[in-house]
Amino acid sequence: MNVEHEHVLTDVTKVKEIFVNILSNAIKYTPSGGSVMISVDELPCDEPGYMIVRNRVSDTGIGMSQDYMTKIFDAFTREQNTTKSKIAGTGLGMSIVRKYVDLLGGTIDVESELGKGSTITVTLKHKIADESYYVKKHIEESGTGSEILEGRNILLAEDNDLNAEITEAILERAGIKTERVEDGIQCVNMIEKMPAGTYDMILMDIQMPKMNGYKATQAIRRLSDKDKACIPIIAMTANAFEEDKRDALAVGMNGHIAKPIELDKLLSMLAEVIRQQENC
């Protein structure tokens, strides 16, 4: 990383979505023993108060053909060697990346060679933030209540391996123990099987196979054991729309957090829900 201005004002959701897609592809298409390198460089900017960042993601993966690279940003297109090897994917990731890069006024460049890997370079211009704003924000957020989370046990219902790994890493840093299930049915079964009080809370993804997060929550709320039925449940969705929050609350969830997950927001919400539960 080679950045002079660490604090910027930007569309956090879109920027995170860009790099979640690029990095997940790099990891997915790089075989075991390969590597993924990320470099971040600040470039000169002629416009006062702004900075330009060049983000480069290079991998040693399977690479792409020159023919496919002309269609990489088209929706629902995938390289032939990825479908033959049965690597899962929808072909939407790079289409979304291109859309968001364009919306942010940036550029994206792709270099690749079959069997040798790929390099994707994204350049974005950001407004430099007033440093005093971040000093104030840090002071305000320093009391997120992380001490109340130490030693807690959370059941994580998440079908996506990468999302689960990220969430577990965030929770582990806060001293929280996690156990993961991969769909709503497994989540309900785990709550029914384990004694009440085993888990302090459930982090529930909404879009899951077999049984989604809404239906799983409704099933848990109908359990005959009231201690189990009242366990706090936080929804995790790919959207931060008001209707998603309303839907979560309507089925009996205690809160809602959007992906990609932000550390401070997640820990603050968990702490607040636990305080509310202890005060009941």
Side-chain angles (χ1 to χ4, degrees):
M1 183 178 289
N2 177 29
V3 175
E4 179 184 352
H5 300 95
E6 296 186 358
H7 302 299
V8 298
L9 299 178
T10 189
D11 188 324
V12 175
T13 302
K14 289 185 179 65
V15 171
K16 285 190 174 183
E17 192 70 22
I18 288 169
F19 292 106
V20 164
N21 276 289
I22 292 175
L23 288 168
S24 62
N25 278 346
I27 293 168
K28 187 181 351 181
Y29 298 124
T30 300
S32 178
S35 64
V36 177
M37 177 71 71
I38 308 164
S39 64
V40 184
D41 296 289
E42 182 172 340
L43 306 179
C45 183
D46 295 333
E47 189 172 355
Y50 286 81
M51 52 98 80
I52 294 175
V53 180
R54 180 180 62 206
N55 308 271
R56 182 170 287 151
V57 180
S58 300
D59 64 64
T60 59
I62 61 177
M64 295 174 277
S65 66
Q66 296 305 304
D67 177 62
Y68 175 70
M69 284 175 60
T70 64
K71 301 175 287 190
I72 185 174
F73 298 118
D74 295 342
F76 302 110
T77 58
R78 298 187 64 204
E79 174 72 293
Q80 191 175 18
N81 60 346
T82 66
T83 55
K84 282 184 177 179
S85 59
K86 297 184 180 180
I87 299 175
T90 61
L92 277 173
M94 292 307 292
S95 174
I96 293 170
V97 166
R98 179 59 176 269
K99 176 183 176 183
Y100 284 170
V101 169
D102 288 346
L103 285 170
L104 293 170
T107 63
I108 181 167
D109 179 67
V110 181
E111 303 169 66
S112 188
E113 189 174 344
L114 273 176
K116 294 188 177 181
S118 305
T119 296
I120 297 180
T121 304
V122 176
T123 303
L124 298 170
K125 182 170 73 173
H126 303 297
K127 182 176 176 60
I128 299 171
D130 180 357
E131 190 69 26
S132 64
Y133 167 79
Y134 281 89
V135 172
K136 178 184 177 184
K137 189 169 185 284
H138 176 73
I139 293 171
E140 290 173 348
E141 292 182 347
S142 60
T144 53
S146 57
E147 65 280 351
I148 200 174
L149 302 175
E150 189 77 29
R152 299 285 180 172
N153 293 287
I154 287 182
L155 181 61
L156 173 64
E158 170 63 75
D159 66 304
N160 183 282
D161 291 339
L162 180 60
N163 288 341
E165 187 176 344
I166 292 169
T167 305
E168 287 172 334
I170 289 173
L171 296 175
E172 185 179 339
R173 284 170 57 188
I176 300 170
K177 300 174 184 176
T178 60
E179 188 169 346
R180 179 196 171 197
V181 291
E182 297 181 7
D183 60 57
I185 293 176
Q186 291 181 13
C187 182
V188 175
N189 290 343
M190 188 67 74
I191 294 299
E192 287 183 316
K193 180 179 75 172
M194 303 301 289
T198 301
Y199 307 107
D200 296 285
M201 189 181 308
I202 301 172
L203 273 179
M204 183 84 76
D205 182 36
I206 297 302
Q207 300 296 331
M208 292 187 292
K210 298 181 182 178
M211 178 185 285
N212 67 33
Y214 294 139
K215 291 181 179 178
T217 298
Q218 290 173 322
I220 290 169
R221 295 299 184 228
R222 290 194 296 264
L223 293 176
S224 58
D225 186 326
K226 296 306 176 186
D227 289 333
K228 293 183 178 182
C230 291
I231 186 172
I233 303 175
I234 303 296
M236 297 189 300
T237 73
N239 300 313
F241 301 130
E242 283 301 319
E243 54 263 37
D244 293 290
K245 298 178 183 179
R246 288 196 297 269
D247 290 344
L249 296 175
V251 298
M253 291 180 161
N254 301 79
H256 168 281
I257 191 157
K259 301 177 186 177
I261 288 174
E262 296 181 44
L263 173 62
D264 290 336
K265 286 185 179 180
L266 175 62
L267 297 185
S268 293
M269 175 168 288
L270 297 183
E272 180 60 27
V273 170
I274 287 175
R275 286 194 195 98
Q276 292 174 358
Q277 192 76 0
E278 290 180 344
N279 292 331
C280 289

